[in-house]
Amino acid sequence: MTGYWELGFGYWHGNAGDTGNRSLESVDFRPVLRWQYHDPSIDVPAFYVEFGTGPALVSATEIENRRLSTAFQFGSHIGVGMCFGPHGRFEVAYRLMHYSNADIKRPNDGMTFNVLEVAGRF
């Protein structure tokens, strides 16, 4: 079990046509817990499962027909992935992400979406 801190920036684009806000930006900060299986004695990909949750801010409280009600949100994700390459420098992952204000104010439509991530450490 390991952990890390994640600072994320996002741009959400919708297809609202003439109704509702068509895009917004987000910034979020969250601790992430990761369970990873890796045998350091052999150089093979390492698979992992992770979970993270923390505060987020969005630039608008509506996108398409969804109303978030507050700029303050909580961003959470659960993901699976694989590290590979020299010292596990590269990753490919799938995340299910959710943003919600935890009913601080209603309506709280929230947003859930899928993310495919490709990353590399320098």
Side-chain angles (χ1 to χ4, degrees):
M1 184 72 81
T2 62
Y4 65 92
W5 296 96
E6 180 173 272
L7 175 63
F9 301 94
Y11 174 76
W12 306 7
H13 181 74
N15 298 313
D18 292 334
T19 63
N21 191 27
R22 292 195 58 166
S23 65
L24 61 85
E25 293 79 29
S26 66
V27 61
D28 51 278
F29 179 71
R30 67 178 141 253
V32 178
L33 290 176
R34 178 183 283 189
W35 178 82
Q36 181 170 322
Y37 173 76
H38 178 64
D39 183 349
S41 67
I42 55 177
D43 191 22
V44 295
F47 296 93
Y48 65 84
V49 176
E50 67 181 20
F51 170 77
T53 190
L57 293 174
V58 293
S59 63
T61 58
E62 186 174 331
I63 185 166
E64 293 193 346
N65 296 323
R66 294 195 174 269
R67 294 189 54 211
L68 304 173
S69 294
T70 62
F72 179 79
Q73 300 285 307
F74 292 97
S76 301
H77 80 269
I78 187 164
V80 294
M82 175 179 71
C83 300
F84 59 95
H87 307 290
R89 285 184 47 201
F90 303 102
E91 294 185 20
V92 175
Y94 164 77
R95 286 182 172 185
L96 180 64
M97 299 191 75
H98 179 74
Y99 285 81
S100 168
N101 71 19
D103 283 339
I104 292 171
K105 185 176 178 184
R106 292 183 181 243
N108 178 29
D109 291 342
M111 295 287 291
T112 301
F113 48 94
N114 301 290
V115 175
L116 181 60
E117 182 178 76
V118 177
R121 286 186 290 257
F122 299 97

